[in-house]
Amino acid sequence: MPVDHRSLREYTYRPEDLFALSDQEFLVLVHSDFEDELLRLRYAYSVGGRDDNKPSSRSPSVILYGEDYDEVNRTLVGLLALKWVYNRQYDVLVANQAEALRLSRKSFEWMYQFYAKSIANPNELYALITSIVVNDIGKDEKLALDYQKKTGENIVSLNHDMILLKAVKSELVGCLDRLSPEDRDDIIHGMELGAEFNFGQLAQAENVPASLASLATMRGHARSFRLRFEEQLLDIAGAAGHLDWTCAKKLTQSNFDAYRTVYDAGMGIVRDGLSLRAGYDLVLKRRLDLLREKGFRSLDLRNEGDRALARILCMGSVADLSTAELYNRAWTSLEDDIRHSLRKSLNIDGSVAEPAVQVTYIPALITQAVDAGGPGTLEAKERALRSALHYLCRVMSAPGKPDGPVSVIERNVLSTLKEVVQTPEFRENPTILERAAIPESLAAMMEPHEQQPG
């Protein structure tokens, strides 16, 4: 039998051959084209996480390098997930997902059809693979240092998406030069979006309509947005790849639903001309439709009180009737002045004339405070949620903003989450959260954009 010497690029013209390779053959082929980029991932900082029940099989990183590198494994499991989707290996992709969270066959089939268009186009398939490989190389501190050597600008403090974007524009990521000008431009447009827009924050109504302004700049670049979404979905598929490389453990049904909703909202803005508020409210509407199917009362997004509650339900990722009713009871039992203040704050879209407040990490704070599936009585959970909403009210209505034409003020509550909510004292007395410190105000958006959110 003749030895196959085809390159990865040549294989993209025959995806049926590419995805018929064994996992080891496939990984070695990817490594041959992206050796420099995978080397950066070996040096990338990791989110960590522990799992004493790791698979007995060799990880992708061990196959290539003889030892584990977290970000290499996360990236390559994302690529293996594309292979599983093409081969319709549903049972492999969902193998170790908890049954209650498992991605449905219907959603898997949607993914198969959705990715088919990119896979059928050799240039687009190669561009998608490139996008997946380079997505996290900004986590390698050496990339920021290489950029500084070349330009004199220190970008170490920027987020890894912005570091990658700047490195690409300074021609420090050579693999993009192998793409056609059209594909390269589309991947860079997606990176520009990724440096400003967070899919997860919209899925949880954590950000505000003004934060979607970067989506409006993608108009005329619908393919770029689709490619970015394809890469983001595979990024979730590989998110736990450093702990379990045998399946796409994080690509659960709830995560899939949230990201698909964001895709539909984003495409509504990018392709169909929806306003930023209308695109944002599509996310709220999907959550309300889901809960109404479970028996929850109808809410009207034209009513400011109902819309504020809808945002809080999204922040809590509420997906069942009993939890929705718990949130509803907490909301309706708030003091009138607290509820009125939240109703006002949660309906500000964000402009220089009336800045909105984005409370970063509030979804994690609320869900951990309530701990809906954990121990404790419903009354205790309701009290904890009321205290979380009291705190949210204080954070959103606090005076003061950074200098300049600020349209979105960011206040990050991560330290409150760690230092208050995650303590035993909070479980004993959740009202201590109501007295927690207000975070400093940072400018999340400075420049007024052409389109207002309305």
Side-chain angles (χ1 to χ4, degrees):
M1 186 174 179
V3 177
D4 192 336
H5 291 297
R6 280 179 288 179
S7 67
L8 177 60
R9 167 66 92 172
E10 290 167 329
Y11 262 109
T12 59
Y13 288 86
R14 294 291 301 270
E16 65 275 20
D17 293 346
L18 173 64
F19 295 123
L21 296 172
S22 70
D23 286 355
Q24 178 164 339
E25 291 169 329
F26 177 72
L27 294 170
V28 168
L29 191 66
V30 170
H31 179 266
S32 66
D33 263 33
F34 296 102
E35 190 170 353
D36 292 345
E37 291 72 28
L38 291 172
L39 181 62
R40 288 201 181 275
L41 288 173
R42 287 174 61 177
Y43 298 120
Y45 61 80
S46 169
V47 295
R50 290 185 57 81
D51 189 344
D52 296 328
N53 299 310
K54 285 187 176 181
S56 57
S57 60
R58 292 192 302 162
S59 71
S61 178
V62 168
I63 288 171
L64 294 179
Y65 302 112
E67 58 184 296
D68 277 317
Y69 297 99
D70 285 359
E71 293 304 314
V72 172
N73 279 328
R74 285 156 60 92
T75 295
L76 294 179
V77 170
L79 277 178
L80 288 173
L82 180 63
K83 182 170 177 274
W84 299 331
V85 169
Y86 177 84
N87 291 327
R88 283 185 156 142
Q89 292 174 285
Y90 170 78
D91 290 335
V92 173
L93 188 138
V94 303
N96 292 329
Q97 294 181 0
E99 187 174 353
L101 304 175
R102 189 173 297 155
L103 184 76
S104 71
R105 286 187 179 274
K106 182 179 179 182
S107 297
F108 181 82
E109 186 61 26
W110 183 91
M111 287 181 65
Y112 174 81
Q113 299 294 341
F114 187 75
Y115 282 94
K117 184 174 183 180
S118 288
I119 291 172
N121 180 324
N123 286 340
E124 199 166 295
L125 175 55
Y126 194 79
L128 176 60
I129 292 170
T130 301
S131 176
I132 295 164
V133 171
V134 303
N135 182 51
D136 282 332
I137 66 172
K139 294 178 180 179
D140 171 20
E141 291 180 0
K142 192 172 182 297
L143 186 62
L145 295 175
D146 289 345
Y147 177 86
Q148 187 173 1
K149 279 182 195 170
K150 185 168 185 177
T151 67
E153 182 185 0
N154 185 344
I155 60 170
V156 171
S157 62
L158 298 181
N159 69 58
H160 70 88
D161 291 313
M162 186 61 79
I163 289 172
L164 171 62
L165 178 61
K166 283 181 169 285
V168 165
K169 290 188 172 181
S170 294
E171 300 182 339
L172 287 169
V173 185
C175 64
L176 267 70
D177 295 336
R178 299 197 290 264
L179 305 180
S180 70
E182 179 190 10
D183 291 329
R184 187 177 188 276
D185 286 349
D186 272 344
I187 295 301
I188 292 175
H189 276 302
M191 289 177 179
E192 289 171 338
L193 177 67
E196 288 193 9
F197 172 73
N198 185 304
F199 276 73
Q201 286 181 343
L202 176 55
Q204 300 176 108
E206 181 178 2
N207 59 13
V208 296
S211 306
L212 278 57
S214 53
L215 285 171
T217 68
M218 294 286 284
R219 287 179 179 147
H221 301 283
R223 188 185 82 130
S224 176
F225 181 68
R226 176 171 57 79
L227 282 169
R228 180 69 184 180
F229 174 75
E230 288 180 2
E231 180 264 307
Q232 287 282 293
L233 207 53
L234 294 171
D235 186 58
I236 299 170
H242 59 308
L243 302 173
D244 185 350
W245 42 86
T246 65
C247 66
K249 199 163 189 176
K250 292 288 188 183
L251 189 53
T252 58
Q253 187 61 43
S254 60
N255 284 338
F256 172 83
D257 286 340
Y259 272 69
R260 184 176 170 190
T261 295
V262 170
Y263 173 75
D264 290 342
M267 198 56 90
I269 294 168
V270 170
R271 184 187 60 201
D272 303 332
L274 284 185
S275 69
L276 304 187
R277 164 66 83 105
Y280 190 97
D281 281 6
L282 180 61
V283 174
L284 304 183
K285 182 179 182 299
R286 290 277 178 89
R287 178 70 55 180
L288 297 181
D289 288 347
L290 167 71
L291 293 174
R292 192 164 57 247
E293 288 173 7
K294 303 283 179 73
F296 188 59
R297 70 184 179 95
S298 294
L299 298 178
D300 183 353
L301 292 177
R302 294 169 297 184
N303 177 289
E304 286 197 345
D306 282 1
R307 188 174 178 278
L309 176 56
R311 277 195 67 185
I312 292 166
L313 290 165
C314 279
M315 289 173 182
S317 299
V318 177
D320 63 88
L321 178 59
S322 63
T323 307
E325 289 178 338
L326 185 154
Y327 274 62
N328 186 60
R329 287 194 303 273
W331 171 253
T332 55
S333 65
L334 287 172
E335 298 87 340
D336 287 347
D337 60 330
I338 300 294
R339 193 169 56 253
H340 177 79
S341 179
L342 281 170
R343 186 172 68 228
K344 180 177 185 297
S345 298
L346 289 166
N347 280 285
I348 297 174
D349 289 352
S351 65
V352 175
E354 189 177 31
V357 175
Q358 174 181 308
V359 186
T360 303
Y361 284 104
I362 193 64
L365 186 146
I366 287 175
T367 53
Q368 290 188 35
V370 177
D371 191 19
T377 65
L378 282 176
E379 291 77 11
K381 294 178 189 302
E382 192 177 318
R383 279 198 307 273
L385 178 55
R386 269 201 305 273
S387 289
L389 294 178
H390 270 260
Y391 181 62
L392 175 62
C393 177
R394 287 181 57 228
V395 173
M396 296 197 81
S397 60
K401 73 177 184 69
D403 293 335
V406 178
S407 56
V408 182
I409 300 165
E410 180 183 16
R411 294 181 180 140
N412 188 320
V413 298
L414 180 59
S415 62
T416 306
L417 170 64
K418 290 181 174 180
E419 295 166 15
V420 180
V421 174
Q422 293 178 351
T423 66
E425 290 79 12
F426 176 76
R427 289 288 154 222
E428 292 293 323
N429 178 20
T431 62
I432 64 172
L433 176 58
E434 299 174 25
R435 302 184 293 276
I438 305 295
E440 68 172 321
S441 299
L442 302 172
M445 283 188 63
M446 286 289 289
E447 301 81 15
H449 287 261
E450 290 182 12
Q451 177 179 355
Q452 293 301 311

